Amino acid sequence: MPPPHNTLKPHALMQRYSLPRLLAHARRHHEDWQRAWRNPAPKDAYDTVIVGGGGHGLATAYYLAKEHGVTDVAVIERGYLGGGNTGRNTTIVRSNYLRDASTRLYDFALDLWRDLSREINFNVMFSARGVLNLGHTLQDMRDIERRVGANRLNGVDGEVLTTAEVQRLVPLMNCSPTSRYPVLGASWQPRGGVARHDAVAWGYARAADALGVDLLQQTEVVGIRVENGAVTGVETDLGFIAARRVACVVAGNSGVLARMAGLRLPIESRPLQALVSEPLKPCLDPVVMSAAVHCYISQSAKGDLVIGAGTDVYNGYGQRGSFPVLEHAVAAVCELFPAFSRVRMNRHWGGIVDICPDACPVIGPSPVRGLYFNCGWGTGGFKSTPGSGYVFADTIANERPHPLAAPFGLDRFASGALVDEHGAAAVAH
Amino acid sequence: MLRIRCPYCEEARSEEEFAYAGEAHIRRPEDPEALSDREWGEYLHFRTNARGPHREMWVHAAGCRRYFNVLRDTVSYEILDVYPIGKAPSDDSTGNGA
């Protein structure tokens, strides 16, 4: 049963989070904190409907309201806010991509991350602890030098570290020359790091709600109504909701939504797995990623080790992954960090990622007028959340691609101008 | 973990013996030169990406190394049918039949 609707007016009553407010509530035993957002009944019509209440969808709603004054917006979410890939990723934020177009987009997002907590008055716990991408072969090291060079030409921070420098940053790592996959060096992006994934969804939700956006949870879109080549609204399990513009931000289910509008996308959906250990005392400062052995690992602020595996090799919508993929990632972690081989794992899960042929997103209009897609982020969506929302909101509000989003339109699959990040990015996709 | 029955070896083996080869029954256009860029792009990149029964190709990479078709549910992961390359699907309820 959905919780009862309330009719609290948003704007005037939204209380800012602050130290004085925290102290005042502490005196009252934290018993009367305001709800973080309203739970409104759906209206019959909106100017813009955003399908998908994950980080990207909520960020899009927030920037539409804040930057473009479009507040007649509903975010429709089948489950609960941030319950999909937003709450299932390994929370890594970085921008050390190879191609100019993707580097600019991800670095724009990274700049937004740095001030995000202040911007949306919600602590997203962004921690710029630095990201290491390990090289295990001579070719790895050549690719790393090329990528760091490209990054620096694009104004993105980056360094090539030697084995000794890597060992200094991560004392627990097995850097022995006799290990199965010796660490020959790494790329190092000090501005990268991790953030609290749930807080990103909650923070954007709260900030968007305060600007008047309706967040409709436990509401499923079951159809997209198209008349004369233009979108007129969405069918939901609560009835029809009219909209002049519909923006789909549903990651792994993008293909399902596209089919509702009679479209196909250059996207295939696959599970990507992650797992998290029991909490440990601080033992791993930077984020460590390795494309060659395919694992990535970081320690959260709570102390648990967050480990990412690869995507399944075949399509799937089950939010669990293939066991051999998980086994492979855990083997790599044990090889790199022999001390972690006795750590017990608490939870393991899969999220459905939407993978494009060039491992780059699709942001922009579709062949149906008024219908926009922001999808195809594949395994790299979390880090781009603020940037993705910002450029997508700009694209929708002005009905033309934002300059940073322009290279990522659906038209690239006709022109052939793919932004080839497959294997070029710092980690295998 | 999938257990896939290779139609040539006639044995059910672990998915690790196989490699995935993408959506099945995508026919290369007879005359590529006659296609527009958009049509060619759709042939190359656009996929059904079915949620539910999906026709796909696999190759028994660590076995007979031959390709075959599988009808698999992408939600339950149940394998509904396995049939050799060149054989038409028994029905086209999946939307990506021939």
Side-chain angles (χ1 to χ4, degrees):
Chain A
M1 274 295 286
H5 295 121
N6 66 54
T7 49
L8 195 66
K9 276 268 171 276
H11 323 277
L13 289 174
M14 177 59 78
Q15 295 172 351
R16 277 186 65 78
Y17 292 146
S18 64
L19 184 60
R21 178 103 47 205
L22 183 65
L23 295 175
H25 277 281
R27 285 165 55 95
R28 301 197 292 273
H29 306 282
H30 298 291
E31 282 175 351
D32 57 349
W33 280 101
Q34 188 188 43
R35 284 182 66 140
W37 49 78
R38 298 165 299 136
N39 186 39
K43 293 196 286 178
D44 293 338
Y46 290 91
D47 176 77
T48 304
V49 160
I50 295 169
V51 186
H56 289 231
L58 294 164
T60 305
Y62 169 71
Y63 290 114
L64 263 178
K66 168 149 185 286
E67 301 291 330
H68 306 283
V70 183
T71 55
D72 188 19
V73 175
V75 178
I76 301 182
E77 165 57 45
R78 177 172 65 177
Y80 57 93
L81 300 179
N85 292 352
T86 301
R88 291 167 188 267
N89 59 78
T90 50
T91 78
I92 298 167
V93 176
R94 61 186 178 91
S95 65
N96 53 353
Y97 280 62
L98 179 65
R99 308 287 171 199
D100 293 350
S102 36
T103 304
R104 286 186 194 120
L105 183 58
Y106 286 106
D107 205 51
F108 174 70
L110 185 48
D111 279 340
L112 291 177
W113 273 112
R114 290 154 71 87
D115 201 37
L116 189 58
S117 294
R118 215 186 331 260
E119 163 83 20
I120 59 177
N121 184 228
F122 203 101
N123 188 1
V124 300
M125 297 171 69
F126 175 61
S127 166
R129 51 186 58 196
V131 175
L132 283 170
N133 295 93
L134 304 180
H136 300 276
T137 64
L138 197 53
Q139 187 58 47
D140 274 359
M141 291 314 296
R142 288 180 184 137
D143 289 342
I144 282 172
E145 291 195 12
R146 178 187 178 206
R147 180 164 48 74
V148 168
N151 290 159
R152 293 169 73 141
L153 285 172
N154 274 317
V156 173
D157 57 329
E159 277 176 65
V160 180
L161 302 189
T162 64
T163 309
E165 289 166 321
V166 171
Q167 184 80 86
R168 242 193 320 276
L169 281 168
V170 192
L172 277 182
M173 194 191 294
N174 175 14
C175 291
S176 150
T178 59
S179 73
R180 175 73 178 81
Y181 301 103
V183 176
L184 300 186
S187 76
W188 171 238
Q189 186 182 22
R191 285 192 311 152
V194 291
R196 170 92 200 276
H197 49 8
D198 295 325
V200 177
W202 298 336
Y204 273 122
R206 188 170 182 276
D209 176 84
L211 292 171
V213 171
D214 280 0
L215 308 175
L216 311 176
Q217 298 183 71
Q218 292 171 318
T219 308
E220 182 171 358
V221 169
V222 293
I224 295 176
R225 200 179 283 182
V226 178
E227 284 167 25
N228 301 324
V231 73
T232 57
V234 292
E235 310 277 358
T236 74
D237 50 1
L238 300 181
F240 178 70
I241 296 176
R244 191 165 66 87
R245 297 180 291 215
V246 174
C248 301
V249 203
V250 296
N253 281 303
S254 296
V256 178
L257 237 68
R259 221 163 4 257
M260 291 179 190
L263 302 173
R264 291 211 308 171
L265 293 172
I267 280 176
E268 293 200 288
S269 301
R270 295 183 177 182
L272 174 66
Q273 299 178 78
L275 61 164
V276 64
S277 77
E278 60 192 345
L280 307 174
K281 286 189 174 178
C283 58
L284 176 63
D285 183 31
V287 178
V288 176
M289 312 179 70
S290 167
V293 298
H294 210 296
C295 73
Y296 31 108
I297 181 166
S298 64
Q299 190 172 23
S300 77
K302 197 169 69 184
D304 33 23
L305 298 174
V306 183
I307 298 169
T311 50
D312 280 7
V313 295
Y314 45 87
N315 290 12
Y317 285 88
Q319 283 176 321
R320 60 190 183 275
S322 151
F323 189 74
V325 172
L326 183 66
E327 192 179 23
H328 183 79
V330 171
V333 168
C334 292
E335 173 67 26
L336 276 176
F337 297 94
F340 293 164
S341 67
R342 290 288 176 268
V343 175
R344 283 164 296 196
M345 294 297 145
N346 262 351
R347 287 176 295 120
H348 153 246
W349 63 90
I352 305 305
V353 296
D354 40 345
I355 297 182
C356 259
D358 57 355
C360 279
V362 170
I363 314 169
S366 74
V368 174
R369 202 152 14 97
L371 180 64
Y372 294 80
F373 276 91
N374 182 356
C375 56
W377 289 92
T379 61
F382 178 73
K383 66 174 78 71
S384 59
T385 305
S388 159
Y390 191 97
V391 299
F392 194 42
D394 185 89
T395 299
I396 296 166
N398 297 309
E399 301 184 2
R400 56 100 190 92
H402 181 279
L404 287 175
F408 300 103
L410 264 180
D411 51 355
R412 74 179 188 270
F413 298 97
S415 70
L418 304 192
V419 187
D420 179 21
E421 280 292 351
H422 243 308
V427 69
H429 279 266
Chain B
M1 167 112 61
L2 299 178
R3 279 173 68 80
I4 302 170
R5 188 172 180 84
C6 171
Y8 308 109
C9 303
E10 297 188 337
E11 259 189 69
R13 310 288 294 184
S14 151
E15 70 177 60
E16 287 166 289
E17 284 194 15
F18 299 86
Y20 185 66
E23 186 174 329
H25 304 299
I26 295 175
R27 196 169 296 192
R28 184 183 165 88
E30 298 276 328
D31 182 9
E33 296 298 325
L35 297 188
S36 67
D37 288 349
R38 182 162 301 282
E39 289 165 333
W40 182 247
E42 286 187 8
Y43 158 69
L44 280 183
H45 301 300
F46 286 61
R47 295 293 177 263
T48 308
N49 196 20
R51 185 188 169 102
H54 182 241
R55 294 187 187 280
E56 55 199 22
M57 290 188 294
W58 287 78
V59 54
H60 195 180
C64 63
R65 304 203 289 175
R66 292 168 78 183
Y67 284 81
F68 56 94
N69 295 313
V70 173
L71 175 63
R72 182 178 60 92
D73 190 305
T74 56
V75 179
S76 70
Y77 292 23
E78 186 187 354
I79 292 176
L80 304 165
D81 195 10
V82 175
Y83 52 102
I85 284 290
K87 188 167 172 277
S90 44
D91 70 281
D92 62 351
S93 57
T94 56
N96 71 329

